Amino acid sequence: MQNLEGAKRVNAFFAISSPLNGTHTAKLAWGKGARSMGINSQLLHQLKSSESILAELPLYSYWTPYDMVILPARSSEWILATNRTFNCIWHDWMVSNTGLLAQLLADLQDVEQRL
């Protein structure tokens, strides 16, 4: 969204258990994309330096303090976003957490009403 003018083509951004500020576990990842999500990575520095492009968009981050994939778990918090915390005990289960899904639906409806 930041590098390819995507912010002009979207109405909001929703991140679920995303390492927005990097993760120590990226060192263990197989793929180049996942490895680029490490703490202090060049990609994350580049994104951070241009995040003002997203300032006009509704931004949401849904995360769990119990995440063992995103380390530290608070790395999923984003200063520009509305951050929502869920007590989910497993990273992969976040996308099926009923509380998260209900909140995501409410947030989507809120964004839709603002359009």
Side-chain angles (χ1 to χ4, degrees):
M1 289 190 324
Q2 291 159 250
N3 297 337
L4 300 174
E5 298 186 5
K8 294 178 182 177
R9 297 187 298 271
V10 300
N11 296 319
F13 178 78
F14 301 86
I16 300 174
S17 286
S18 299
L20 300 167
N21 295 294
T23 177
H24 292 294
T25 60
K27 299 172 199 161
L28 307 172
W30 290 92
K32 184 178 179 181
R35 285 194 309 272
S36 69
M37 297 308 294
I39 302 286
N40 295 318
S41 74
Q42 182 180 2
L43 172 64
L44 291 179
H45 280 293
Q46 178 187 5
L47 291 172
K48 178 116 357 229
S49 71
S50 64
E51 67 184 5
S52 62
I53 293 168
L54 307 174
E56 299 298 317
L57 288 174
L59 307 168
Y60 297 87
S61 179
Y62 308 89
W63 70 284
T64 176
Y66 306 111
D67 205 319
M68 297 304 290
V69 174
I70 310 301
L71 296 175
R74 291 191 88 97
S75 183
S76 291
E77 287 185 299
W78 190 9
I79 194 166
L80 296 179
T82 299
N83 292 284
R84 309 246 193 243
T85 308
F86 295 88
N87 291 324
C88 188
I89 61 170
W90 193 253
H91 176 82
D92 292 348
W93 294 350
M94 284 290 285
V95 294
S96 60
N97 180 288
T98 55
L100 185 152
L101 294 174
Q103 184 62 61
L104 176 61
L105 180 59
D107 292 338
L108 283 165
Q109 289 170 336
D110 184 51
V111 168
E112 183 179 44
Q113 288 175 353
R114 288 191 249 165
L115 296 178

